[in-house]
């Protein structure tokens, strides 16, 4: 018969043995995950915390969020957004989320994410990173839709949103660095439809609090939703790539949460995520103990006008060149031009000598060069039908020839634009742009970024709602309930005044 002391000792030994077994199992699981690339991604997605966020990452990501909200709101005025919204209205759900800029329309979170994602890229006005992708538009709509659809007891803070957003951005950047091919302007797949889908899945998994196994499954499921051909660039279909990335990533995270499984090594295999890149060479991510964010090392480019990023080098060179020929708002002397030479990288889908639509114009070196010469600037209105069809523009386009110097690489880190104009009298003027204003090497000032946001958002929202978003994003890490953003995003004139007054009380 055991004494009380003996029983106590035996119980203690059993507890210690059980604790040791739990540690062994925990270590085994951790080792199992870290042995594969896919497992290491799942570990990072699950394991990163708000404590890992640096001041630089916080400030840069808040700029990205504000800019993305602005271009998304402006994008709700486009034809492609209206078509997608009309389609998405056939869906309904017990839970719903805001369609940005719409006070009377709510959709299930998946389709709110889809339509808002389409709006963000409908004018090609959203941010761009290196290697080349549009990182924010694939992530932010999903997070805002999820946050709003949660019951009041499960609300997420602004810091939760920022952490999940940065996880989604980080996953995209890490994946693209597994391929040298991905560093250049894409030729086959549109990157947001590839890495953006996994970024959205990672961000949604993080916000929803999925465990490490479910994070891994979310990435595997998202890979089967990924991919869109570059042939649809410069068409109304291209914005769907961002909308689908946001929606499909969220759906992948939801399915993983429900127990759906995929290949446990989806990021390790040539037949997995490697199918998108011929030179895919993945490796495990750094340990969380010494983790550094890619966004800490390199900012994103934020555009000053709505067009493919390459057009911004061209526009800056053309605007500088114009000053040699005319002053201020003087009419540009089209008839005095003999020849224009544009030296840019070889990238077929942005080499469009005579664009006929706004989407083609946004992806045309030639159009942006000649438009900037004529007007001295580029803006939202530069891509209207009357601007595209004006006779003076067609005259200049006929005088322009494109050259592709061997040292001018189709790479957003390395490319340049050199532009020369020869006048009828024989005078030649040349300007070169190596880094445009808005590039990560020459970022927009905070004042100019807020000015861009306000100009875009004011096309849809009241001034009170616009100011409310600026104030909320500025202090986002201190906001207790990030769904307040959705409240502003659907407010128009009268409603916005009352709501902001209510918040301040």
């Amino acid at each position: 018969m055991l004494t009380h002391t003996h029983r106590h000792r035996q119980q203690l030994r059993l507890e210690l043995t059980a604790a040791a077994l739990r540690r062994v199992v925990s270590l085994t699981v951790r080792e199992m995950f870290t042995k594969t690339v896919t497992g290491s991604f799942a570990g990072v997605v699950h394991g990163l915390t708000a404590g890992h966020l640096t001041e630089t990452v916080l400030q840069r990501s808040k700029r990205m969020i504000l800019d993305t909200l602005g271009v998304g709101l402006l994008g709700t005025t486009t034809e492609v957004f209206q078509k997608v919204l009309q389609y998405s209205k056939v869906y309904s759900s017990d839970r719903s989320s805001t369609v940005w800029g719409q006070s009377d329309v709510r959709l299930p979170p998946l389709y709110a994410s889809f339509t808002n994602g389409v709006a963000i890229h409908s004018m090609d006005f959203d941010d761009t990173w290196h290697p080349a992708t549009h990182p924010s538009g694939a992530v932010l709509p999903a997070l805002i839709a999820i946050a709003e659809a949660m019951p009041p007891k499960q609300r997420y803070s602004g810091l939760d949103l920022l952490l999940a957003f940065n996880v989604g951005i980080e996953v995209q950047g890490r994946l693209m660095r597994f391929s040298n091919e991905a560093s250049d302007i894409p030729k086959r797949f549109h990157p947001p439809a590839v890495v953006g889908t996994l970024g959205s899945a990672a961000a949604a998994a993080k916000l929803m609090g999925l465990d490490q196994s479910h994070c891994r499954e979310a990435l595997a499921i998202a890979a089967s939703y990924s991919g869109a051909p570059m042939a649809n660039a410069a068409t109304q279909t291209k914005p769907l790539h961002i909308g689908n990335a946001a929606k499909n990533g969220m759906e992948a995270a939801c399915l993983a949460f429900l127990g759906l499984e995929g290949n446990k090594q989806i990021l390790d295999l040539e037949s997995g995520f490697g199918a998108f890149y011929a030179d895919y060479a993945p490796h495990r991510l750094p340990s969380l103990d010494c983790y550094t964010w890619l966004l800490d090392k390199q900012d994103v480019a934020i555009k000053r006008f709505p067009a493919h990023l390459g057009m911004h080098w061209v526009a800056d060179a053309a605007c500088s060149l114009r000053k040699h020929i005319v002053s201020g708002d003087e009419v540009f002397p089209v008839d005095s031009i003999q020849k224009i030479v544009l030296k840019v990288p070889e990238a077929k889908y942005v080499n469009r000598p005579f664009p006929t639509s706004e989407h083609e114009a946004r992806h045309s070196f030639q159009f942006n060069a000649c438009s900037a010469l004529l007007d001295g600037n580029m803006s939202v209105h530069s891509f209207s039908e009357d601007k595209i069809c004006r006779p003076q523009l067609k005259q200049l386009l006929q005088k322009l020839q494109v050259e592709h110097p061997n040292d001018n690489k189709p790479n957003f880190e390395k490319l340049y634009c050199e532009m020369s104009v020869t006048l009828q009298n024989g005078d030649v003027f040349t300007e070169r742009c190596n880094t445009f204003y808005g590039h990560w090497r020459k970022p927009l000032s905070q004042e100019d970024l807020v000015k861009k946001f306000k100009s875009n958002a004011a096309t849809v929202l009241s001034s009170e709602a616009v100011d409310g978003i600026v104030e909320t994003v500025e202090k986002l890490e201190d906001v207790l309930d990030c769904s307040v953003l959705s409240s502003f995003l659907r407010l128009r004139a009268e409603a916005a005044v009352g709501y902001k007054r209510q918040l301040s009380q």
Side-chain angles (χ1 to χ4, degrees):
M1 188 172 180
L2 294 174
T3 66
H4 176 76
T5 303
H6 287 158
R7 284 198 301 270
H8 179 72
R9 288 175 179 171
Q10 188 177 50
Q11 180 65 30
L12 185 60
R13 281 196 297 270
L14 288 171
E15 289 176 1
L16 289 172
T17 302
L21 283 171
R22 284 196 296 271
R23 284 196 297 273
V24 169
V25 170
S26 177
L27 287 169
T28 303
V29 170
R30 198 177 306 144
E31 288 172 2
M32 178 183 70
F33 273 98
T34 56
K35 281 182 179 178
T36 65
V37 174
T38 310
S40 77
F41 267 78
V44 164
V45 171
H46 177 260
L48 284 170
T49 67
H52 288 94
L53 294 170
T54 67
E55 187 62 28
T56 297
V57 167
L58 283 173
Q59 294 308 315
R60 287 178 174 175
S61 57
K62 286 193 292 186
R63 284 165 57 89
M64 294 161 72
I65 287 170
L66 185 66
D67 183 61
T68 303
L69 292 173
V71 299
L73 286 163
L74 178 65
T76 64
T77 65
T78 62
E79 183 182 356
V80 62
F81 170 81
Q82 293 300 327
K83 290 177 179 178
V84 165
L85 179 60
Q86 184 178 357
Y87 156 74
S88 297
K89 284 181 180 179
V90 304
Y91 296 94
S92 62
S93 169
D94 292 337
R95 294 186 181 181
S96 62
S97 303
T98 295
V99 178
W100 300 355
Q102 312 297 304
S103 58
D104 57 347
V105 180
R106 296 179 66 84
L107 292 172
L110 281 175
Y111 284 91
S113 177
F114 173 60
T115 54
N116 293 330
V118 169
I120 287 168
H121 199 57
S122 62
M123 291 186 175
D124 215 312
F125 209 179
D126 44 330
D127 57 23
T128 307
W129 213 11
H130 175 76
T133 194
H134 304 284
S136 297
V139 172
L140 189 61
L143 296 179
I144 289 181
I146 292 169
E148 184 182 5
M150 288 295 104
K153 291 182 180 179
Q154 293 177 250
R155 293 299 190 188
Y156 301 109
S157 70
L159 194 56
D160 293 331
L161 178 69
L162 280 165
L163 177 60
F165 178 81
N166 277 290
V167 166
I169 302 303
E170 180 75 5
V171 163
Q172 295 177 70
R174 292 288 179 177
L175 288 172
M176 297 204 76
R177 280 163 174 76
F178 294 162
S179 164
N180 290 326
E181 176 188 309
S183 294
D184 293 339
I185 294 174
K187 297 178 181 178
R188 296 186 301 153
F189 293 104
H190 192 208
V194 180
V195 297
T197 308
L198 276 80
S200 173
K206 186 64 181 177
L207 191 65
M208 293 163 59
L210 270 58
D211 65 24
Q212 196 163 339
S213 295
H214 287 140
C215 288
R216 180 183 60 192
E217 303 305 340
L219 294 172
I221 297 165
S224 281
Y225 281 107
S226 296
M230 283 304 302
N232 268 327
T235 73
Q236 285 189 334
T237 295
K238 189 187 178 198
L240 301 186
H241 300 172
I242 293 283
N244 279 328
K247 176 178 77 72
N248 292 340
M250 185 201 300
E251 187 164 284
C254 291
L255 290 171
F257 173 74
L258 293 173
L260 194 71
E261 297 180 353
N263 192 298
K264 304 294 187 285
Q265 298 184 48
I266 197 71
L267 303 182
D268 298 73
L269 303 174
E270 183 181 347
S271 59
F273 195 76
F276 296 108
Y277 300 104
D279 61 347
Y280 185 65
H283 52 79
R284 293 188 296 275
L285 297 187
S287 164
L288 290 171
D289 296 334
C290 56
Y291 200 87
T292 56
W293 301 85
L294 294 177
L295 190 59
D296 225 345
K297 302 174 184 177
Q298 181 187 287
D299 205 349
V300 298
I302 292 177
K303 300 175 180 178
R304 303 193 322 274
F305 62 91
H308 179 274
L309 194 70
M311 307 306 113
H312 290 66
W313 279 272
V314 170
D316 276 18
C319 289
S320 297
L321 195 55
R322 187 181 192 275
K323 294 174 183 176
H324 294 290
I325 302 169
V326 295
S327 300
D329 296 329
E330 289 180 12
V331 176
F332 190 78
V334 175
D335 291 337
S336 69
I337 305 300
Q338 180 189 117
K339 180 176 68 171
I340 304 170
V341 177
L342 191 63
K343 296 181 179 180
V344 290
E346 186 173 9
K348 291 181 181 179
Y349 82 98
V350 285
N351 186 356
R352 300 176 186 272
F354 300 100
T356 59
S357 71
E358 62 168 298
H359 297 284
E360 289 184 351
R362 298 183 201 281
H363 296 78
S364 167
F365 279 134
Q366 295 89 335
F367 173 86
N368 286 270
C370 292
S371 290
L373 271 181
L374 282 174
D375 302 329
N377 65 76
M378 295 296 290
S379 70
V380 171
H381 305 294
S382 299
F383 303 92
S384 61
E385 186 176 356
D386 60 326
K387 291 282 190 180
I388 294 172
C389 297
R390 51 185 164 164
Q392 304 96 319
L393 177 69
K394 293 182 178 179
Q395 279 183 263
L396 281 183
L397 287 171
Q398 290 170 347
K399 298 180 180 187
L400 186 148
Q401 63 187 55
V402 174
E403 296 179 0
H404 305 301
N406 290 332
D407 68 334
N408 201 352
K409 304 301 181 184
N411 180 300
F412 291 147
E413 180 67 32
K414 300 175 181 178
L415 77 82
Y416 65 86
C417 171
E418 186 174 294
M419 190 171 175
S420 300
V421 170
T422 303
L423 303 183
Q424 298 290 3
N425 64 9
D427 289 346
V428 179
F429 301 102
T430 301
E431 285 287 348
R432 172 167 166 155
C433 177
N434 293 317
T435 305
F436 66 86
Y437 180 46
H439 191 275
W440 46 85
R441 290 193 299 267
K442 197 175 182 181
L444 289 186
S445 68
Q446 185 65 16
E447 180 182 1
D448 284 344
L449 184 140
V450 171
K451 184 178 178 180
K452 174 191 172 182
F453 168 78
K454 289 186 172 182
S455 175
N456 288 337
T459 60
V460 177
L461 301 181
S462 70
S463 59
E464 290 82 6
V466 171
D467 290 341
I469 293 172
V470 172
E471 293 169 13
T472 301
V473 174
E474 184 179 345
K475 58 181 182 182
L476 192 54
E477 64 269 44
D478 300 319
V479 171
L480 296 179
D481 181 357
C482 67
S483 66
V484 67
L485 280 173
S486 295
S487 302
F488 283 123
L489 286 165
R490 62 174 175 266
L491 288 179
R492 293 179 178 270
E494 301 82 10
V497 178
Y499 187 80
K500 192 174 180 185
R501 190 179 300 116
Q502 179 185 338
L503 279 181
S504 63
Q505 292 174 350

